[in-house]
Amino acid sequence: MANYRDFSQVFPPNLEFAYGRDIVHSIETHRKTLDGVLFIDRVLKALGLSKAKIYPPKNDAALRQLHQQICEASMSTHHKLSLFYYVLLDFDTVNSRLLPSEKFSSQFGLPMSYYTFMKGLWHMDREQFATALEYIAHPSLVPDFADEIVTALVRHTPDNDYSLVLSYYHAVQPILKTSAALSLLFEALAKTSISEALLYSRTHSEHTREALFYKLVEYALDGVAGQNDIAFFPLDKVEEKWFEEYLTEGDGHSLKKAKDTVLVRKIVRDQLAEAGKHRVGGQWGTLLQGIRAGLQGQEE
């Protein structure tokens, strides 16, 4: 019968020890790059094993101590098996023919959702973000550590590539808990598509929504947003008020083109009001094209 308390069943003696100097150095380098905290560190802390730095175990004695601490911890059996599975993923790298993590998950009946999530976090900890996304965005998972995942995907993906964090957002629809993670996700949305960022801002409470809207206008006028013609977007009454106040009386009045943008918005609003009288509201795109063309003609 499978018994995870038996060290030799979890880490069979025929396996090559995973934590040589190079692998330990690589893990510590990734930890430093990821702001000093790996996702396995967060899992260990969440499960009550944060008193001492126990990962990675640098020798056999440390591995046995890690095994004992997990076995004695007050957590569910599935969580214990998940931690062992994560460690065995390291063993896979030096025992590629045996793939001990797969054998372990099958032998001990680790549910798919558990090993899927832990494998995703393992790849996150190796900064293999594209591969990690294949696991952490799986529809069977509850979006745990969503704030930390969003933060990592924005801050540590090279060349300001927002495709991964947006893929995670669209697949998981996470509810973020921290303002820092919310700001990073909103920045990624705004710099990719103002319309999508605007819709996202409307899903929040009024105070947060207002702050996000001001940030969106700032991105648009600074020319760093996915589309910089926010003056032409359909805004509701509250957003109209925020738009004008921010660019005339608020912090946005010093932004480049603030006055011009307010003027353009007034023209757009007047044109839409006139169009509404003639019941052509469904021709929004055609109307905006006409306004843009007229303004461009004035500039020329």
Side-chain angles (χ1 to χ4, degrees):
M1 174 180 274
N3 180 11
Y4 68 83
R5 295 182 180 276
D6 183 344
F7 179 86
S8 64
Q9 290 192 39
V10 179
F11 303 102
N14 64 317
L15 295 182
E16 180 181 347
F17 186 70
Y19 301 103
R21 181 179 299 179
D22 290 344
I23 290 182
V24 169
H25 177 72
S26 175
I27 292 171
E28 295 294 353
T29 299
H30 289 305
R31 177 180 272 134
K32 183 177 180 180
T33 301
L34 296 171
D35 304 315
V37 185
L38 294 171
F39 280 91
I40 187 60
D41 299 330
R42 295 186 174 98
V43 173
L44 289 168
K45 181 178 180 180
L47 295 177
L49 289 174
S50 59
K51 294 183 179 180
K53 183 179 176 182
I54 57 178
Y55 179 85
K58 298 179 181 179
N59 51 50
D60 184 70
L63 179 62
R64 289 178 178 274
Q65 183 179 11
L66 172 61
H67 173 264
Q68 182 179 357
Q69 287 179 297
I70 293 174
C71 287
E72 295 175 353
S74 299
M75 66 180 77
S76 71
T77 298
H78 284 155
H79 283 141
K80 293 178 181 181
L81 297 178
S82 298
L83 293 175
F84 291 140
Y85 176 77
Y86 180 99
V87 173
L88 284 166
L89 288 171
D90 290 332
F91 276 78
D92 285 352
T93 63
V94 295
N95 296 272
S96 57
R97 292 184 178 180
L98 298 175
L99 291 177
S101 69
E102 292 186 8
K103 183 177 180 180
F104 173 84
S105 63
S106 175
Q107 179 182 358
F108 285 88
L110 184 62
M112 184 188 76
S113 60
Y114 283 81
Y115 69 70
T116 298
F117 187 57
M118 294 304 288
K119 194 163 188 176
L121 295 186
W122 187 88
H123 284 291
M124 288 291 294
D125 283 342
R126 271 76 194 155
E127 299 180 67
Q128 299 166 354
F129 300 127
T131 303
L133 196 61
E134 297 175 12
Y135 298 96
I136 58 176
H138 195 278
S140 68
L141 300 181
V142 175
D144 289 326
F145 300 110
D147 290 67
E148 293 82 359
I149 289 171
V150 165
T151 299
L153 291 176
V154 173
R155 287 184 177 174
H156 303 293
T157 301
D159 302 323
N160 293 322
D161 180 4
Y162 297 121
S163 61
L164 292 179
V165 70
L166 294 182
S167 294
Y168 176 75
Y169 162 69
H170 289 302
V172 176
Q173 294 292 305
I175 298 176
L176 302 179
K177 301 175 182 178
T178 65
S179 58
L182 176 61
S183 296
L184 288 171
L185 176 59
F186 190 71
E187 178 182 357
L189 286 166
K191 290 183 176 180
T192 306
S193 169
I194 281 188
S195 58
E196 188 169 10
L198 180 61
L199 291 175
Y200 179 71
S201 70
R202 292 172 177 171
T203 65
H204 292 79
S205 64
E206 184 173 351
H207 176 73
T208 302
R209 178 186 171 188
E210 182 178 4
L212 292 176
F213 183 79
Y214 291 158
K215 201 66 180 176
L216 182 61
V217 176
E218 179 186 342
Y219 285 138
L221 269 64
D222 280 346
V224 297
Q227 301 159 318
N228 60 9
D229 53 354
I230 192 171
F232 295 94
F233 274 75
L235 305 179
D236 63 23
K237 292 181 179 180
V238 174
E239 291 163 343
E240 289 283 7
K241 179 175 177 290
W242 291 340
F243 187 88
E244 185 165 346
E245 288 181 352
Y246 179 64
L247 293 179
T248 57
E249 305 169 10
D251 294 340
H253 79 280
S254 60
L255 293 172
K256 185 179 179 181
K257 296 183 179 180
K259 292 182 180 179
D260 292 342
T261 303
V262 172
L263 176 60
V264 171
R265 183 65 198 176
K266 185 177 184 305
I267 295 172
V268 171
R269 191 166 57 242
D270 291 345
Q271 291 281 357
L272 290 175
E274 184 65 24
K277 294 178 181 178
H278 299 285
R279 305 180 63 84
V280 293
Q283 299 176 1
W284 170 259
T286 303
L287 178 61
L288 290 189
Q289 290 177 7
I291 296 172
R292 287 192 180 97
L295 290 172
Q296 290 172 356
Q298 291 177 16
E299 291 176 357
E300 293 174 357

